[in-house]
């Protein structure tokens, strides 16, 4: 005997075996007059409980005005499933299976959960206790679930058709109503709210005639007890509804069922439908157009058209902008001045109270001195690179010169092919050959000609790439000259910082760690001498108090 059959016996009139049950009610609209409203469903379930005193009500779960196409938008449904998983119960009393779910996936998942916890469903519309373990019932349930899911999809199709009819008739609805208007549900009309319309007119007048901004207008309205946020003020200024132009079909919905959420998709303006309503115009057309011109002119001024207009510390116009960081929290140091006259550049880190690193700022002049010495030390080390490069270049020249033997071999091979070509041409010109013999000779001539052309091309490439001994000398001389120019620099500029330095870290111990583009890390230790004799550490003697605060 299945669990559902046992439960049917317990629900017989006169049986005293206890049955633990919950009530679940749901309706997808908030219309209280609906036949299947939640209150009617609960009343129907309570009537059943009155006739069965052995059924103990554990809890009542109501999802009012929520669709059953998915489960993540129904808090009461999820609480019911949690109750089933944690404490368990025997029976769900509901109006119909469609009240639980209108999606096949969620319905099947509920079936599995009920079977796992020895529970089932009682539907009041037919008085049936459902046996989810029975194979024949399972087939009927699958058909029922598919029909319920199809109902949701059909509703979506009907909604689209209704929207198409709205667009054809250019009818407005409640969602087309905004601040300054009232929606009347009885006759489905929109009228002007005179009190709010006066506020809308004032917003446009302040914006155009008094050089107001959304922020200043919002503050002035708030002082008078009118609570409108700055974003709303900005939207009102751009909204064409206030000159009697209402646009419908601005968005569409992609239906989501089961585990997928429905998505609202904004349509391009070409697909919007204009409904002109001069009777709902609040703002004068000329005033509205002036507001739009002012709005667009301010966009040109205040928006960032390209990276060149970004503030200096983000664009990197200052010497070390975007290069100095705290290695503990990762925040950057930003450019500023240490004095009111703005003559002492300094880099400070903001909002740093939660970081254990005590280094809060560093002066640009001190950092510039350390960077110069660090870069000069790095350039001095390039002599070792030149020695290594000389060896590599010498090997390249030798390899190029050794290719002379190969060039001679290729030339001999080409001469042999040319001689074969001459012999074939002589045979062809003697005459007395059959047509087949002529064709074979011509084919050989073509093959040898192609091979000769390839040999000639290879020989030319190798001769062009052949290097002499002066190549190494010339290249090394140009490299050493470039290094000498770099070594003789006297000032640090932004280009040099960008070309050589990847980042500069300011660790808590007071050192300065400079990471070069080459990957080399130079540590400026404040306790070391300034002669950089140790090779890896550089610094300025006795500047700890001057460097850090």
């Amino acid at each position: 005997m299945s669990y559902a059959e046992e439960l049917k016996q317990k629900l017989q009139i006169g049986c005293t075996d206890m049955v633990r049950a919950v009530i679940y009610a749901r309706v997808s609209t908030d219309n209280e007059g609906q036949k299947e409203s939640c209150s009617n469903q609960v009343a129907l379930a309570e009537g059943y409980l009155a006739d069965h005193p052995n059924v103990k009500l554990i809890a009542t779960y109501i999802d009012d005005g929520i669709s059953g196409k998915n489960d993540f938008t129904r808090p009461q449904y999820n609480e019911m499933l949690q109750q089933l998983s944690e404490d368990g119960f025997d029976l769900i009393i509901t109006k119909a299976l469609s009240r639980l779910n209108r999606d096949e996936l969620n319905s099947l998942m509920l079936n599995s959960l009920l079977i796992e916890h020895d529970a089932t469903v009682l539907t009041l519309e037919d008085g049936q206790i459902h046996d989810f373990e029975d194979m024949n019932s399972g087939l009927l349930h699958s058909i029922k679930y598919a029909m319920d899911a199809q109902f949701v999809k059909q509703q979506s199709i009907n909604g689209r058709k209704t929207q198409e009819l709205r667009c054809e008739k250019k009818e407005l609805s409640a969602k087309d109503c905004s601040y300054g208007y009232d929606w009347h549900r009885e006759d489905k009309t929109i009228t002007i709210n005179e009190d709010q319309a006066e506020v809308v007119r004032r917003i446009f007048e302040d914006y155009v005639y008094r050089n107001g901004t959304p922020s200043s207008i919002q503050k002035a309205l708030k002082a008078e007890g009118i609570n409108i946020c700055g974003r709303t003020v900005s939207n009102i200024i751009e909204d064409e509804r206030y000159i009697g132009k209402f646009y419908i079909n601005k968005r569409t919905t992609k239906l989501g069922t089961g585990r997928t959420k429905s998505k609202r998709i904004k349509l391009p303006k070409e697909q919007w439908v204009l409904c002109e309503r001069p009777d709902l115009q609040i703002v004068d057309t000329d005033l509205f157009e002036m507001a739009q011109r002012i709005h667009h002119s301010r966009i040109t001024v205040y928006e960032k058209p390209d990276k060149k207009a970004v503030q200096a510390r983000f664009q990197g116009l200052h010497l070390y902008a975007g290069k100095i960081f705290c290695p503990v929290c990762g925040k950057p140091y930003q450019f500023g001045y240490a004095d009111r006259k703005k003559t002492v550049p300094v880099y400070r880190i903001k909002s740093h109270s939660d970081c254990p690193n005590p280094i809060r700022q560093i002066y640009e002049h001190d950092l510039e001195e350390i960077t110069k010495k660090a870069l000069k030390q790095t350039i001095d080390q390039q002599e070792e690179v030149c020695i290594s490069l000389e060896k590599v270049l010498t090997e390249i020249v030798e390899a190029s010169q050794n290719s002379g033997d190969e060039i001679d071999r290729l030339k001999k091979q080409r001469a042999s092919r040319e001689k074969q070509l001459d012999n074939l041409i002589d045979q062809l010109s003697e005459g007395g050959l059959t047509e087949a013999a002529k064709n074979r000779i011509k084919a050989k001539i073509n093959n040898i000609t192609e091979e000769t052309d390839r040999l000639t091309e290879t020989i030319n490439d190798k001769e062009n790439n052949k290097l002499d001994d002066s190549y190494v000398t010339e290249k090394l001389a140009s490299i050493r000259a470039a290094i000498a120019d770099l070594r003789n620099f006297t000032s640090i500029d932004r280009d040099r910082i960008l070309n050589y330095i990847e980042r500069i870290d300011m660790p808590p111990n007071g050192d300065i760690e400079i990471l070069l583009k080459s990957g080399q890390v130079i540590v400026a230790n404040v306790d070391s001498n300034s002669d950089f004799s140790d090779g890896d550490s550089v610094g300025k003697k006795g500047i700890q108090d001057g460097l850090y605060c």
Side-chain angles (χ1 to χ4, degrees):
M1 182 182 297
S2 66
Y3 179 76
E5 292 175 348
E6 293 179 2
L7 197 60
K8 288 179 183 178
Q9 294 181 359
K10 293 181 181 180
L11 294 177
Q12 296 293 329
I13 301 297
C15 182
T16 58
D17 293 341
M18 182 63 66
V19 176
R20 301 171 71 246
V22 299
I23 296 174
Y24 181 76
R26 181 192 63 79
V27 68
S28 58
T29 177
D30 56 3
N31 183 4
E32 292 297 332
Q34 186 182 6
K35 180 180 179 180
E36 294 181 350
S37 67
C38 289
S39 59
N40 291 340
Q41 296 177 40
V42 173
L44 191 63
E46 290 174 346
Y48 180 87
L49 293 175
D51 295 335
H52 297 79
N54 63 321
V55 179
K56 180 182 178 181
L57 181 62
I58 303 299
T60 299
Y61 301 98
I62 301 174
D63 283 318
D64 200 356
I66 304 177
S67 173
K69 63 187 178 183
N70 45 46
D71 58 357
F72 47 79
T73 59
R74 293 187 283 159
Q76 290 288 291
Y77 178 82
N78 289 316
E79 283 188 24
M80 181 181 69
L81 298 187
Q82 185 176 359
Q83 170 75 19
L84 176 61
S85 300
E86 294 178 355
D87 300 328
F89 50 76
D90 301 316
L91 186 65
I92 299 176
I93 303 175
T94 188
K95 173 74 167 56
L97 287 178
S98 61
R99 299 302 90 200
L100 291 170
N101 285 297
R102 282 197 181 275
D103 174 71
E104 295 175 87
L105 175 61
N106 289 334
S107 297
L108 293 174
M109 292 179 65
L110 177 61
N111 287 5
S112 300
L113 192 62
L114 291 171
I115 293 173
E116 179 182 354
H117 294 281
D118 292 332
T120 188
V121 176
L122 167 65
T123 50
L124 297 173
E125 66 176 2
D126 54 9
Q128 182 180 355
I129 298 175
H130 296 267
D131 187 354
F132 298 110
E133 296 177 296
D134 181 65
M135 183 180 298
N136 295 327
S137 297
L139 178 60
L140 295 176
H141 286 138
S142 298
I143 296 174
K144 173 64 176 172
Y145 298 154
M147 294 175 62
D148 289 340
Q150 191 64 30
F151 175 81
V152 174
K153 296 177 181 178
Q154 187 61 46
Q155 277 189 321
S156 177
I157 295 173
N158 294 340
R160 292 180 183 275
K161 291 181 178 179
T162 302
Q163 178 67 7
E164 291 175 1
L165 291 175
R166 270 191 66 222
C167 294
E168 290 179 5
K169 297 179 180 180
K170 296 186 177 182
E171 294 179 349
L172 301 180
S173 64
K175 61 184 179 181
D176 298 311
C177 189
S178 63
Y179 187 85
Y181 300 99
D182 290 328
W183 169 254
H184 303 280
R185 180 178 294 182
E186 299 78 14
D187 54 1
K188 297 182 179 180
T189 58
I190 296 178
T191 59
I192 296 176
N193 184 316
E194 291 300 335
D195 294 336
Q196 295 181 358
E198 192 62 32
V199 176
V200 172
R201 295 187 190 99
R202 176 181 169 181
I203 290 174
F204 276 90
E205 291 172 356
D206 288 352
Y207 189 76
V208 174
Y209 301 134
R210 301 178 185 90
N211 197 29
T213 64
S215 178
S216 65
I217 296 172
Q218 182 266 335
K219 291 178 181 178
L221 294 174
K222 185 177 181 181
E224 299 178 11
I226 304 173
N227 293 319
I228 299 179
C229 68
R231 181 70 254 180
T232 301
V233 173
S234 181
N235 290 338
I236 288 174
I237 293 171
E238 300 178 63
D239 199 336
E240 294 185 59
R241 276 180 281 207
Y242 298 111
I243 56 173
K245 294 183 177 181
F246 289 76
Y247 287 94
I248 61 177
N249 199 45
K250 296 171 70 174
R251 290 177 176 82
T252 186
T253 302
K254 183 178 180 181
L255 180 65
T257 58
R259 299 291 172 177
T260 306
K261 293 183 178 180
S262 297
K263 294 182 179 179
R264 293 285 288 165
I265 302 172
K266 187 175 181 180
L267 297 174
K269 195 166 184 178
E270 295 77 22
Q271 298 183 25
W272 296 3
V273 178
L274 172 62
C275 300
E276 296 195 31
R277 292 289 301 271
D279 57 311
L280 297 179
Q281 183 172 353
I282 294 177
V283 179
D284 181 73
T285 304
D286 293 337
L287 179 61
F288 182 85
E289 291 178 354
M290 283 190 289
Q292 304 316 302
R293 288 197 293 270
I294 294 172
H295 174 69
H296 288 298
S297 66
R298 289 180 178 177
I299 289 177
T300 304
V301 173
Y302 294 118
E303 281 194 348
K304 302 171 185 176
D306 52 37
K307 292 184 178 180
K308 298 296 182 184
V310 183
Q311 294 184 25
R313 69 167 178 267
F314 298 112
Q315 179 64 16
L317 300 183
H318 300 300
L319 195 58
Y320 292 94
K323 292 295 183 181
I324 311 172
F325 297 90
C326 172
V328 179
C329 63
K331 291 183 178 179
Y333 286 70
Q334 297 177 3
F335 179 82
Y337 292 97
D339 60 334
R340 292 184 178 180
K341 294 183 179 180
K342 296 185 178 181
T343 59
V344 182
V346 67
Y347 293 87
R348 295 189 179 97
I349 190 167
K350 298 181 180 180
S351 303
H352 205 232
S353 58
D354 297 334
C355 181
N357 190 349
I359 309 302
R360 297 288 188 268
Q361 67 179 27
I362 181 169
Y363 292 100
E364 186 176 85
H365 174 73
D366 295 323
L367 191 57
E368 186 176 356
E369 291 297 319
I370 293 174
T371 305
K372 277 197 292 186
K373 294 181 179 181
L375 291 180
K376 285 186 176 181
Q377 172 192 325
T378 304
I379 294 172
D380 290 340
Q381 296 173 349
Q382 301 309 310
E383 185 62 31
E384 298 178 1
V385 177
C386 289
I387 295 174
S388 301
L389 183 61
E390 184 177 7
K391 294 180 179 178
V392 174
L393 292 176
T394 302
E395 292 176 358
I396 293 174
V397 172
E398 291 177 353
S400 173
Q401 292 175 344
N402 291 335
S403 64
D405 296 338
E406 185 178 358
I407 293 175
D408 293 339
R409 181 182 62 80
L410 292 173
K411 288 182 177 180
K412 291 179 180 179
Q413 188 175 355
R414 182 179 61 180
S416 174
R417 294 293 182 271
E418 290 174 346
K419 186 175 181 180
Q420 291 179 8
L421 186 62
D422 292 339
N423 293 334
L424 290 173
I425 293 174
D426 292 341
Q427 292 180 14
L428 190 62
S429 60
E430 289 178 355
L433 299 174
T434 63
E435 193 65 29
K438 290 181 180 180
N439 290 335
R440 286 196 297 271
I441 292 175
K442 290 179 180 180
K444 288 183 179 181
I445 291 174
N446 292 334
N447 292 335
I448 294 174
T449 302
E450 291 177 359
E451 186 178 356
T452 303
D453 292 340
R454 288 195 298 270
L455 289 171
T456 302
E457 184 178 353
T458 303
I459 292 169
N460 293 335
D461 290 340
K462 290 186 175 297
E463 287 180 341
N464 292 333
N465 294 328
K466 188 175 180 181
L467 303 174
D468 55 24
D469 295 335
S470 63
Y471 177 81
V472 177
T473 305
E474 293 173 357
K475 286 295 181 182
L476 288 178
S478 62
I479 292 172
R480 287 194 173 97
I483 293 175
D485 291 339
L486 292 175
R487 186 184 291 113
N488 295 329
F489 74 89
T490 56
S491 62
I492 292 287
D493 56 20
R494 180 62 178 168
D495 290 337
R496 199 176 298 275
I497 296 296
L498 293 175
N499 291 334
Y500 288 95
I501 296 179
E502 182 67 28
R503 64 180 285 149
I504 300 173
D505 287 332
M506 308 292 295
N509 61 1
D511 294 344
I512 301 176
E513 297 179 359
I514 303 175
L515 174 62
L516 302 181
K517 292 284 188 179
S518 61
Q520 181 182 2
V521 177
I522 297 178
V523 179
N525 192 315
V526 296
D527 295 328
S528 65
N529 295 325
S530 58
D531 59 359
F532 318 128
S533 58
D534 55 358
D536 287 329
S537 298
V538 298
K540 293 181 68 180
K541 184 176 180 180
I543 60 172
Q544 185 170 5
D545 294 336
L547 272 175
Y548 312 117
C549 298

